[in-house]
Amino acid sequence: MLQRNDFPEDFVFGVSTAAYQIEGQAFGGSGRTHWDDFAETPGNVVRAENGSIACDHYNRWAEDLDLIRDGGYGAYRFSASWARVLPEGRGTLNPEGLDFYDRLVDGMLERGIKPMLTLYHWELPSPLADLGGWRNRDVASWFADYSVLLMDRLGDRIWKTATINELWCVSFLSHFFGEHAPGLRDIRATARSVHHVLLAHGMATEALRAAGHGDIGAVCNFSYAEPADDSPEAAEAAATFDAHYNQLFLSAFFRKKYPDRILSALERHLPDRWQDDFDVIGTPVDWLGVNYYTREILAPAPGPWPANKSVPGPLPKTQMGWEIYPEGLHHFLHLANDYAGGLPLYVTENGMANDDTVVNGAVDDSARIDYLAAHFAAAKRAMDEGVPLEGYFVWSLMDNFEWALGYEKRFGLVHVDFDTLVRTPKASYHALKTALSR
Ligand code: FCB
């Protein structure tokens, strides 16, 4: 495993989490979210689990911040829940919610941890979902208003702010593939959610700047598109995947246009005058976050666009069934740099799920140590080739609510027993502490 000294002096290592996955939505006067609704609907989430208790981070946050400090991390990427701040999504504030984030940020600073805030990591307030959620253009101004309200309270202490986590997941995964809330499988809803989530990012960025807040970034997820074989059909299947998953959002942010492959499939479903929004969508950001886990093997499939399907690959897999492919991280750091043209980059998420168990008070997750070592090396290789990577955040601090897969998939450096909520640092936590300490 590479050591702290292999990276530049000011390179930042951190850990990532998200509000709904750890806090406990039931606590502190939070409003209902579309994830609560999705989880309550049979068949959507493993064992119909939800985030109402999660890791009880709402009450145990001080212990969790101690784990981050003691692990030797310089930064913490966390998210705020929109519905905790504004239970209806707009209008009446929940002062308890704002106070919670205030304490949390102060707690980071007291421990020497830089706060990196994500404004939206997927828990749309249900009353806004009732109005069409990401299909409704107004969501962009609702999101901008919430963003300014939250940052007017926290912004004086926030290190960096990300607008929306993984726009592909907010749009495609949730409106086309139906795997995340609101669970739609509808191409028109997909096109509209793509456009509105981009517009929300741009409007919030502009509104935050107008309110005096800076250091704002976008965070995208990437998955390497590998054709299943040498045929032109498989190449086309992979190119289609690459267009919607990896290129669409970078193209919108940095080239102010949709890729041709996207327009030929989605243009007739986009809202009227969509072209007029690109100056807002492409408003400059200060940094770009790269979330990376795996690759997909793509084969052609009968039927309408995207006319492809993922097939199993030959490489070793994580508990998610995801292939371990560190070269993909190297590839996407270069791609991100090509689009972002020299802006600072961060790996904002990378890590693996493993079927971890506590045995005699310890968790042997050597597979995770190997996974992270290989991905650190891939990132370092890109840096040595000139990619301006400035930090690396491991997903995740602790085991948590892994969305549609419930509590079964364990991504943490720290094990959580979901009956007792006891935290047990895993071998990977200790190994990274040794490698990354100054
Ligand atoms: C990412 C999400 C994060 C977590 C990891 C495993 O797509 O941003 O919340 O679920 O995957």
Side-chain angles (χ1 to χ4, degrees):
M1 160 110 52
L2 290 172
Q3 307 289 303
R4 187 74 192 70
N5 290 342
D6 295 315
F7 291 86
E9 178 66 25
D10 52 359
F11 194 84
V12 177
F13 281 97
V15 285
S16 276
T17 65
Y20 191 80
Q21 294 178 276
I22 64 167
E23 285 177 0
Q25 197 71 17
F27 308 122
S30 178
R32 199 174 167 84
T33 80
H34 71 169
W35 263 96
D36 301 303
D37 306 326
F38 184 72
E40 206 179 302
T41 312
N44 284 340
V45 177
V46 171
R47 294 185 293 263
E49 289 166 344
N50 62 33
S52 63
I53 309 281
C55 303
D56 187 28
H57 174 74
Y58 184 80
N59 296 302
R60 296 168 198 246
W61 60 271
E63 177 187 352
D64 295 336
L65 294 186
D66 287 348
L67 283 165
I68 299 172
R69 177 199 56 208
D70 295 346
Y73 296 100
Y76 176 35
R77 175 175 176 256
F78 70 112
S79 80
S81 165
W82 188 342
R84 183 177 293 297
V85 175
L86 290 163
E88 302 287 318
R90 340 170 253 178
T92 311
L93 264 173
N94 173 31
E96 250 184 286
L98 272 178
D99 289 350
F100 169 69
Y101 293 119
D102 211 62
R103 281 197 298 281
L104 192 64
V105 170
D106 283 346
M108 289 178 220
L109 297 181
E110 280 159 19
R111 291 167 179 79
I113 302 166
K114 295 176 172 28
M116 183 192 259
L117 168 66
T118 304
L119 295 165
Y120 182 77
H121 200 127
W122 304 354
E123 61 289 272
L124 190 74
S126 296
L128 302 185
D130 295 340
L131 299 173
W134 291 105
R135 282 178 294 164
N136 184 338
R137 182 182 175 89
D138 292 342
V139 72
S141 54
W142 301 331
F143 176 66
D145 291 347
Y146 148 72
S147 298
V148 170
L149 189 148
L150 181 63
M151 283 294 283
D152 280 350
R153 177 74 180 265
L154 305 180
D156 57 336
R157 286 153 292 154
I158 294 293
W159 176 52
K160 288 177 191 296
T161 305
T163 52
I164 294 166
N165 180 65
E166 301 189 347
L167 293 82
W168 183 88
C169 292
V170 175
S171 51
F172 274 88
L173 190 63
S174 308
H175 295 82
F176 194 68
F177 296 107
E179 291 179 29
H180 278 188
L184 296 181
R185 292 169 52 75
D186 182 304
I187 196 165
R188 195 167 174 83
T190 304
R192 279 152 193 269
S193 64
V194 163
H195 194 71
H196 295 150
V197 75
L198 280 163
L199 186 63
H201 157 86
M203 281 182 68
T205 303
E206 289 193 338
L208 287 168
R209 286 205 204 291
H213 305 293
D215 221 335
I216 301 162
V219 171
C220 294
N221 54 314
F222 300 93
S223 191
Y224 190 84
E226 182 76 36
D229 56 43
D230 291 340
S231 66
E233 292 79 11
E236 179 61 26
T240 302
F241 177 90
D242 193 54
H244 71 73
Y245 203 109
N246 299 317
Q247 311 268 352
L248 194 176
F249 299 97
L250 291 179
S251 169
F253 291 144
F254 298 109
R255 299 195 179 148
K256 299 190 180 188
K257 62 178 188 184
Y258 288 125
D260 291 343
R261 281 175 183 278
I262 297 301
L263 284 180
S264 59
L266 298 185
E267 184 168 7
R268 66 189 189 282
H269 302 298
L270 284 169
D272 290 345
R273 300 175 61 91
W274 56 270
Q275 298 90 336
D276 298 352
D277 292 325
F278 268 101
D279 279 335
V280 177
I281 290 171
T283 195
V285 289
D286 300 297
W287 56 273
L288 176 66
V290 170
N291 291 359
Y292 175 76
Y293 291 93
T294 188
R295 71 173 184 178
E296 302 278 327
I297 315 285
L298 282 310
W305 187 91
N308 61 12
K309 63 176 181 197
S310 290
V311 297
L315 300 177
K317 297 182 182 61
T318 71
Q319 191 195 15
M320 297 291 274
W322 294 350
E323 283 194 311
I324 299 174
Y325 187 62
E327 294 76 9
L329 179 59
H330 174 263
H331 169 84
F332 287 118
L333 289 174
H334 275 288
L335 183 80
N337 188 38
D338 290 347
Y339 273 96
L343 280 186
L345 303 182
Y346 291 84
V347 174
T348 31
E349 285 183 26
N350 173 246
M352 69 172 276
N354 199 45
D355 188 10
D356 298 316
T357 48
V358 183
V359 180
N360 298 327
V363 182
D364 172 14
D365 61 339
S366 50
R368 179 173 290 108
I369 298 173
D370 295 345
Y371 178 101
L372 289 170
H375 286 78
F376 286 179
K380 180 66 168 47
R381 188 153 63 86
M383 292 169 72
D384 291 343
E385 292 158 356
V387 170
L389 184 69
E390 298 195 357
Y392 201 118
F393 291 75
V394 175
W395 183 274
S396 179
L397 168 64
M398 57 189 162
D399 298 338
N400 56 48
F401 177 69
E402 181 41 43
W403 307 112
L405 301 171
Y407 292 96
E408 208 167 78
K409 307 294 185 211
R410 295 182 173 274
F411 272 93
L413 299 171
V414 174
H415 180 277
V416 177
D417 178 323
F418 290 107
D419 295 322
T420 63
L421 297 169
V422 166
R423 278 87 161 129
T424 307
K426 303 179 188 177
S428 57
Y429 174 93
H430 298 298
L432 262 66
K433 177 173 177 163
T434 306
L436 303 182
S437 60
R438 287 190 187 264

